Amino acid sequence: MRILIVDDSPFIIKQIEGIIKSMEMKCDIFAAENGEKAIEMVSQNEFDLVLLDIVLPDINGLEVLKFIRRVKDYGEVFVIVMTSLESDEVLEESFNRGANDFIRKPIKPIELSSRLRAIVRMKNYQYLYKMSLEDLKEKNSQLIELTAKLKQTQDFLVQSEKMSAIGQLAAGVAHEINNPLGFVITNIEVLQKYFDKIVDIVNRYNEFIQILNDPKTQVSSIGNLINEVEDLKKKYRIEFILEDIPQLLKETQEGLQRVSQIVQSLKRFARSGLENKKTFEDLNDIIEETLLIARNELKYDVEVIKEYGENCHAYVNRGEIGQVVLNILMNAAQAIKGQQNRTEKGHIYIKTWRDSEYVYCSIKDDGPGIKRIYLSRIFEPFFTTKDVGQGTGLGLSISYDIIVNKHGGSIWAESEEGKGANFIFKIPVNVRMAEKNED
Ligand SMILES: Nc1ncnc2c1ncn2[C@@H]1O[C@H](COP(=O)(O)OP(=O)(O)OP(=O)(O)O)[C@@H](O)[C@H]1O
Ligand SMILES: [Mg+2]
């Protein structure tokens, strides 16, 4: 500890030094015999404690105190004012200016040593407090850093789970695209043949017109030419071709539109969710889009029965809600497909509705249901009853995070073993509520 004694009396300085030394405290003692010296020393050195006489030959001790408090705060340097003045006003003024304590002159050794001990104890606590505060600050910044990393990892996990779901669906989606593409290609081949025939007939007509325009042409040969073109029309079944072309074109257009729809959905599904944006969306639209992506996984084993409510709009992240719907649909389909002795198709009932606060979606299946002991665990990360390599157990925990943490809603499951499962989620319609819960 570094102590500065400010007093004009060498005798008092000696006395204080003596008392401090007798306490066997580890400290360096400095002295200033007037106010000016004291100010100079305080501005150039670090002290833990200043024992300050109020009555000094040059500057008043209170002025010195004022200076000390301008450069060092209350907790940093302890100031004990020493006064033989009986006036309480001086004492009050000292405390107003930032004195920590006072001692009356003549100084009694026991009084000074007890105050010094108290200060040492306080300084020690202060030191410990400062250390733990710094430690806490350091830990806090580590925590902030870790939270940011965790958030990053979580976002990455959500994205990679989505990509893995898309990966699982890829073969099915390819099949879904292949079907319309197949008939589009066939239609174009047929249209090409029709076109060749029509070109052939048009060419014959052109020749016919040239011949007609030729003055040397004899009237008797015109009849033959007409018959020739008519025969060609019959041979090519031109009536049928003309009727068939609009139909073929319509089918082709629809097929291409379907392909484009699937590709668009897939693109939107894969991309959205990355940007943390919420837009006003129709929940029914999101479900339809997801069904399009999952169609191939469902169509052979499952019949989907839909009952869409009206005005099921809310501010949502479209990709994220699509991901939740896809997770639940895939789970239901997988549960149904896993029933070995099932003979008929399974059913998935999708229902949406709303009230004044929430939009709701229920996806119910008539698969094997969920065992009671598992029901409370299915939303835990990595909880899966599927074989190794078949499920990561992340689908529902990510869905929970999306609905509860990112949209301020709720998600829950109702199930009885042997009687299928029902997954229900609700999302607040109110924009502000959704935004508020976003963090
Ligand atoms: N419709 C359902 N019917 C029966 N069990 C279900 C149903 N949905 C979920 N489960 C149970 O909940 C568990 C956890 O589901 P979750 O989607 O989180 O993971 P997963 O499907 O096993 O793996 P992942 O989705 O990561 O591929 C499943 O393993 C299954 O036991
Ligand atoms: Mg799953």
Side-chain angles (χ1 to χ4, degrees):
M1 192 149 91
R2 290 166 66 86
I3 301 175
L4 173 65
I5 307 166
V6 186
D7 205 303
D8 55 335
S9 150
F11 168 74
I12 292 197
I13 293 178
K14 272 246 149 346
Q15 186 203 3
I16 296 175
E17 271 179 355
I19 296 171
I20 297 173
K21 277 184 186 147
S22 73
M23 288 170 66
E24 293 181 345
M25 254 171 40
K26 251 182 153 185
C27 57
D28 300 314
I29 302 170
F30 304 84
E33 65 279 8
N34 57 46
E36 204 174 315
K37 184 92 199 285
I39 287 178
E40 188 193 322
M41 286 179 84
V42 168
S43 56
Q44 287 171 5
N45 300 282
E46 295 288 330
F47 294 106
D48 299 297
L49 168 65
V50 180
L51 289 157
L52 178 64
D53 189 15
I54 293 293
V55 186
L56 292 168
D58 52 349
I59 311 168
N60 185 312
L62 291 175
E63 288 305 308
V64 178
L65 179 56
K66 197 166 148 192
F67 174 80
I68 295 175
R69 281 297 167 247
R70 210 179 302 139
V71 290
K72 301 277 175 197
D73 75 29
Y74 193 78
E76 241 177 313
V77 177
F78 271 68
V79 179
I80 299 182
V81 291
M82 305 183 286
T83 173
S84 47
L85 298 172
E86 285 304 313
S87 150
D88 284 346
E89 271 163 36
V90 172
L91 268 186
E92 199 182 336
E93 187 58 24
S94 314
F95 280 104
N96 284 345
R97 292 198 180 194
N100 297 77
D101 205 348
F102 78 100
I103 192 163
R104 296 247 185 233
K105 282 180 173 177
I107 292 169
K108 288 187 196 144
I110 179 71
E111 244 179 66
L112 181 62
S113 62
S114 336
R115 278 176 161 77
L116 287 180
R117 279 209 179 87
I119 288 170
V120 168
R121 218 174 296 139
M122 207 158 1
K123 277 268 161 199
N124 282 343
Y125 283 137
Q126 228 178 24
Y127 176 75
L128 286 177
Y129 171 74
K130 207 170 141 196
M131 291 318 277
S132 25
L133 198 70
E134 261 160 34
D135 193 37
L136 216 61
K137 269 192 202 151
E138 162 93 22
K139 292 223 165 77
N140 197 33
S141 66
Q142 280 174 1
L143 211 64
I144 290 171
E145 211 174 299
L146 273 178
T147 314
K149 264 193 202 149
L150 199 67
K151 171 92 181 59
Q152 220 176 14
T153 316
Q154 204 183 22
D155 288 349
F156 177 71
L157 210 63
V158 171
Q159 187 59 12
S160 59
E161 162 76 11
K162 189 162 76 181
M163 291 324 265
S164 114
I166 291 178
Q168 283 173 26
L169 293 175
V173 172
H175 184 80
E176 283 302 302
I177 291 176
N178 221 19
N179 268 347
L181 268 190
F183 70 74
V184 165
I185 291 169
T186 316
N187 285 1
I188 286 178
E189 280 168 7
V190 174
L191 281 168
Q192 178 67 54
K193 279 185 194 146
Y194 286 177
F195 179 74
D196 292 345
K197 286 174 181 171
I198 290 169
V199 167
D200 212 7
I201 287 172
V202 169
N203 285 340
R204 288 302 289 152
Y205 265 117
N206 284 340
E207 280 172 33
F208 183 43
I209 285 162
Q210 259 179 6
I211 294 168
L212 269 184
N213 284 338
D214 189 343
K216 283 181 253 156
T217 304
Q218 289 179 359
V219 183
S220 59
S221 59
I222 294 174
N224 288 342
L225 284 170
I226 293 174
N227 286 341
E228 205 183 304
V229 176
E230 282 304 317
D231 286 348
L232 203 59
K233 274 167 75 179
K234 262 191 214 133
K235 186 180 153 204
Y236 286 164
R237 296 166 66 215
I238 206 72
E239 301 288 320
F240 171 77
I241 288 180
L242 292 179
E243 259 174 44
D244 201 25
I245 284 176
Q247 185 66 25
L248 282 178
L249 284 174
K250 188 165 167 270
E251 266 178 29
T252 307
Q253 211 170 17
E254 279 169 5
L256 287 176
Q257 248 161 15
R258 188 158 178 77
V259 170
S260 149
Q261 238 177 359
I262 296 172
V263 172
Q264 286 297 331
S265 303
L266 206 59
K267 233 169 83 181
R268 195 150 38 174
F269 188 78
R271 277 238 228 92
S272 57
L274 283 181
E275 65 283 343
N276 203 4
K277 229 171 53 190
K278 287 195 178 118
T279 40
F280 198 55
E281 302 284 352
D282 185 354
L283 184 58
N284 300 338
D285 255 12
I286 301 178
I287 297 172
E288 275 300 301
E289 191 170 84
T290 314
L291 281 170
L292 199 64
I293 298 172
R295 206 174 102 95
N296 201 62
E297 301 306 303
L298 304 172
K299 68 179 178 194
Y300 301 111
D301 312 274
V302 180
E303 190 187 338
V304 179
I305 298 128
K306 298 177 271 189
E307 192 186 327
Y308 289 145
E310 281 182 9
N311 296 328
C312 289
H313 289 79
Y315 272 90
V316 295
N317 184 305
R318 197 180 167 99
E320 286 178 350
I321 300 301
Q323 192 177 357
V324 172
V325 173
L326 185 66
N327 279 334
I328 300 174
L329 283 175
M330 296 302 287
N331 281 347
Q334 284 161 359
I336 288 168
K337 285 184 203 172
Q339 289 183 295
Q340 250 112 40
N341 37 18
R342 184 165 198 131
T343 46
E344 80 273 18
K345 265 189 169 186
H347 297 89
I348 295 180
Y349 305 88
I350 304 178
K351 195 176 155 191
T352 57
W353 69 100
R354 61 162 292 161
D355 60 22
S356 58
E357 278 184 77
Y358 295 97
V359 285
Y360 297 78
C361 171
S362 133
I363 300 177
K364 186 167 167 255
D365 65 72
D366 60 357
I370 304 166
K371 281 197 172 93
R372 185 189 280 267
I373 45 162
Y374 295 154
L375 201 55
S376 58
R377 302 195 52 203
I378 50 174
F379 291 102
E380 285 173 16
F382 303 111
F383 176 82
T384 179
T385 54
K386 290 166 192 167
D387 291 339
V388 179
Q390 292 221 335
T392 56
L394 280 174
L396 285 178
S397 77
I398 285 173
S399 304
Y400 184 91
D401 182 52
I402 290 174
I403 297 291
V404 178
N405 301 329
K406 298 195 166 144
H407 289 81
S410 317
I411 180 167
W412 66 96
E414 295 166 356
S415 178
E416 225 178 282
E417 201 181 349
K419 291 194 178 162
N422 187 8
F423 284 82
I424 305 150
F425 66 81
K426 62 175 189 179
I427 301 166
V429 189
N430 185 306
V431 192
R432 265 181 297 166
M433 198 192 293
E435 294 297 330
K436 202 179 84 195
N437 286 311
E438 199 177 3
D439 307 324

Short mmCIF file of all heavy atoms in Angstrom, two decimals, residues 101-124:
data_model
loop_
_atom_site.label_atom_id
_atom_site.label_comp_id
_atom_site.label_asym_id
_atom_site.label_seq_id
_atom_site.Cartn_x
_atom_site.Cartn_y
_atom_site.Cartn_z
N ASP A 101 -12.98 9.31 5.37
CA ASP A 101 -13.03 9.14 6.83
C ASP A 101 -12.34 10.34 7.47
O ASP A 101 -11.74 11.18 6.77
CB ASP A 101 -12.30 7.84 7.21
CG ASP A 101 -12.82 7.28 8.53
OD1 ASP A 101 -13.55 8.00 9.23
OD2 ASP A 101 -12.48 6.12 8.84
N PHE A 102 -12.38 10.45 8.79
CA PHE A 102 -11.66 11.53 9.47
C PHE A 102 -11.06 11.00 10.77
O PHE A 102 -11.47 9.94 11.27
CB PHE A 102 -12.59 12.71 9.74
CG PHE A 102 -13.49 12.49 10.92
CD1 PHE A 102 -13.18 13.06 12.15
CD2 PHE A 102 -14.64 11.69 10.81
CE1 PHE A 102 -14.01 12.84 13.25
CE2 PHE A 102 -15.45 11.48 11.91
CZ PHE A 102 -15.15 12.06 13.13
N ILE A 103 -10.10 11.75 11.25
CA ILE A 103 -9.50 11.38 12.54
C ILE A 103 -9.17 12.68 13.27
O ILE A 103 -8.74 13.67 12.65
CB ILE A 103 -8.26 10.47 12.32
CG1 ILE A 103 -7.82 9.85 13.62
CG2 ILE A 103 -7.12 11.18 11.64
CD1 ILE A 103 -6.89 8.66 13.43
N ARG A 104 -9.42 12.68 14.57
CA ARG A 104 -9.16 13.90 15.34
C ARG A 104 -7.72 13.95 15.82
O ARG A 104 -7.11 12.91 16.10
CB ARG A 104 -10.06 13.94 16.57
CG ARG A 104 -11.54 14.02 16.23
CD ARG A 104 -12.10 15.35 16.67
NE ARG A 104 -13.54 15.37 16.45
CZ ARG A 104 -14.17 16.30 15.78
NH1 ARG A 104 -13.51 17.30 15.24
NH2 ARG A 104 -15.48 16.26 15.64
N LYS A 105 -7.21 15.15 15.84
CA LYS A 105 -5.89 15.36 16.43
C LYS A 105 -6.08 15.78 17.89
O LYS A 105 -7.10 16.45 18.19
CB LYS A 105 -5.16 16.47 15.69
CG LYS A 105 -4.58 16.01 14.36
CD LYS A 105 -3.89 17.19 13.74
CE LYS A 105 -3.13 16.83 12.50
NZ LYS A 105 -2.55 18.01 11.89
N PRO A 106 -5.23 15.52 18.80
CA PRO A 106 -4.05 14.69 18.63
C PRO A 106 -4.41 13.23 18.31
O PRO A 106 -5.42 12.73 18.80
CB PRO A 106 -3.34 14.80 19.98
CG PRO A 106 -4.41 15.19 20.94
CD PRO A 106 -5.41 15.96 20.19
N ILE A 107 -3.57 12.64 17.47
CA ILE A 107 -3.89 11.30 16.97
C ILE A 107 -3.62 10.25 18.03
O ILE A 107 -2.54 10.20 18.62
CB ILE A 107 -3.05 11.01 15.70
CG1 ILE A 107 -3.55 11.95 14.59
CG2 ILE A 107 -3.16 9.56 15.28
CD1 ILE A 107 -2.67 11.98 13.39
N LYS A 108 -4.65 9.41 18.25
CA LYS A 108 -4.45 8.29 19.17
C LYS A 108 -4.03 7.10 18.33
O LYS A 108 -4.72 6.75 17.35
CB LYS A 108 -5.75 7.97 19.89
CG LYS A 108 -6.15 9.00 20.91
CD LYS A 108 -7.36 8.48 21.67
CE LYS A 108 -8.01 9.63 22.41
NZ LYS A 108 -9.43 9.54 22.44
N PRO A 109 -2.89 6.43 18.69
CA PRO A 109 -2.41 5.32 17.86
C PRO A 109 -3.49 4.27 17.57
O PRO A 109 -3.64 3.81 16.44
CB PRO A 109 -1.26 4.73 18.69
CG PRO A 109 -0.80 5.86 19.55
CD PRO A 109 -2.00 6.73 19.82
N ILE A 110 -4.28 3.91 18.60
CA ILE A 110 -5.27 2.85 18.39
C ILE A 110 -6.32 3.26 17.35
O ILE A 110 -6.79 2.45 16.54
CB ILE A 110 -5.93 2.45 19.75
CG1 ILE A 110 -7.00 1.35 19.57
CG2 ILE A 110 -6.59 3.65 20.44
CD1 ILE A 110 -6.39 0.04 19.23
N GLU A 111 -6.67 4.57 17.36
CA GLU A 111 -7.66 5.05 16.41
C GLU A 111 -7.14 4.96 14.97
O GLU A 111 -7.80 4.45 14.08
CB GLU A 111 -7.99 6.51 16.72
CG GLU A 111 -9.43 6.70 17.14
CD GLU A 111 -9.73 8.14 17.47
OE1 GLU A 111 -9.67 8.99 16.55
OE2 GLU A 111 -9.97 8.43 18.65
N LEU A 112 -5.89 5.44 14.80
CA LEU A 112 -5.31 5.43 13.46
C LEU A 112 -5.11 3.99 12.97
O LEU A 112 -5.46 3.64 11.83
CB LEU A 112 -3.99 6.20 13.44
CG LEU A 112 -3.32 6.25 12.07
CD1 LEU A 112 -4.20 6.98 11.05
CD2 LEU A 112 -1.95 6.94 12.13
N SER A 113 -4.55 3.14 13.87
CA SER A 113 -4.25 1.78 13.39
C SER A 113 -5.55 1.04 13.06
O SER A 113 -5.61 0.28 12.08
CB SER A 113 -3.40 1.02 14.41
OG SER A 113 -4.12 0.89 15.61
N SER A 114 -6.63 1.25 13.85
CA SER A 114 -7.88 0.54 13.50
C SER A 114 -8.42 1.03 12.16
O SER A 114 -8.89 0.24 11.34
CB SER A 114 -8.98 0.75 14.54
OG SER A 114 -8.48 1.07 15.76
N ARG A 115 -8.33 2.34 11.93
CA ARG A 115 -8.83 2.85 10.65
C ARG A 115 -8.00 2.29 9.50
O ARG A 115 -8.54 1.89 8.46
CB ARG A 115 -8.77 4.38 10.63
CG ARG A 115 -9.96 4.98 11.32
CD ARG A 115 -9.81 6.48 11.36
NE ARG A 115 -11.05 7.15 11.58
CZ ARG A 115 -11.65 7.24 12.78
NH1 ARG A 115 -11.10 6.66 13.83
NH2 ARG A 115 -12.77 7.89 12.90
N LEU A 116 -6.68 2.27 9.71
CA LEU A 116 -5.82 1.74 8.64
C LEU A 116 -6.13 0.27 8.34
O LEU A 116 -6.20 -0.15 7.18
CB LEU A 116 -4.36 1.90 9.01
CG LEU A 116 -3.82 3.32 8.93
CD1 LEU A 116 -2.35 3.35 9.32
CD2 LEU A 116 -3.97 3.87 7.53
N ARG A 117 -6.34 -0.50 9.43
CA ARG A 117 -6.66 -1.92 9.21
C ARG A 117 -7.96 -2.07 8.42
O ARG A 117 -8.06 -2.89 7.51
CB ARG A 117 -6.81 -2.63 10.57
CG ARG A 117 -5.48 -2.98 11.14
CD ARG A 117 -5.48 -4.22 12.03
NE ARG A 117 -4.10 -4.41 12.46
CZ ARG A 117 -3.57 -3.82 13.52
NH1 ARG A 117 -4.30 -3.02 14.27
NH2 ARG A 117 -2.30 -4.02 13.83
N ALA A 118 -8.93 -1.23 8.79
CA ALA A 118 -10.22 -1.29 8.08
C ALA A 118 -10.01 -0.96 6.60
O ALA A 118 -10.59 -1.60 5.71
CB ALA A 118 -11.20 -0.31 8.70
N ILE A 119 -9.13 0.02 6.36
CA ILE A 119 -8.89 0.41 4.96
C ILE A 119 -8.20 -0.72 4.20
O ILE A 119 -8.57 -1.05 3.07
CB ILE A 119 -8.06 1.70 4.89
CG1 ILE A 119 -8.95 2.86 5.33
CG2 ILE A 119 -7.52 1.95 3.49
CD1 ILE A 119 -8.20 4.15 5.54
N VAL A 120 -7.21 -1.34 4.86
CA VAL A 120 -6.50 -2.45 4.19
C VAL A 120 -7.50 -3.54 3.84
O VAL A 120 -7.51 -4.09 2.73
CB VAL A 120 -5.36 -2.99 5.09
CG1 VAL A 120 -4.82 -4.30 4.55
CG2 VAL A 120 -4.27 -1.96 5.22
N ARG A 121 -8.38 -3.84 4.81
CA ARG A 121 -9.37 -4.89 4.57
C ARG A 121 -10.26 -4.49 3.37
O ARG A 121 -10.49 -5.28 2.47
CB ARG A 121 -10.23 -5.07 5.82
CG ARG A 121 -10.56 -6.53 6.06
CD ARG A 121 -11.28 -6.72 7.38
NE ARG A 121 -10.46 -6.37 8.53
CZ ARG A 121 -10.94 -5.70 9.59
NH1 ARG A 121 -12.16 -5.28 9.63
NH2 ARG A 121 -10.15 -5.45 10.62
N MET A 122 -10.68 -3.24 3.38
CA MET A 122 -11.54 -2.76 2.31
C MET A 122 -10.82 -2.83 0.96
O MET A 122 -11.39 -3.22 -0.05
CB MET A 122 -11.96 -1.33 2.60
CG MET A 122 -13.27 -1.05 1.95
SD MET A 122 -14.22 0.26 2.62
CE MET A 122 -13.47 1.02 3.91
N LYS A 123 -9.55 -2.42 0.98
CA LYS A 123 -8.76 -2.44 -0.27
C LYS A 123 -8.65 -3.86 -0.80
O LYS A 123 -8.71 -4.11 -2.00
CB LYS A 123 -7.35 -1.88 0.00
CG LYS A 123 -7.29 -0.39 -0.04
CD LYS A 123 -6.93 0.04 -1.45
CE LYS A 123 -7.32 1.48 -1.68
NZ LYS A 123 -7.42 1.84 -3.06
N ASN A 124 -8.45 -4.81 0.17
CA ASN A 124 -8.35 -6.21 -0.26
C ASN A 124 -9.65 -6.67 -0.92
O ASN A 124 -9.63 -7.32 -1.96
CB ASN A 124 -8.06 -7.13 0.94
CG ASN A 124 -6.60 -7.06 1.30
OD1 ASN A 124 -5.78 -6.60 0.51
ND2 ASN A 124 -6.26 -7.46 2.52
#
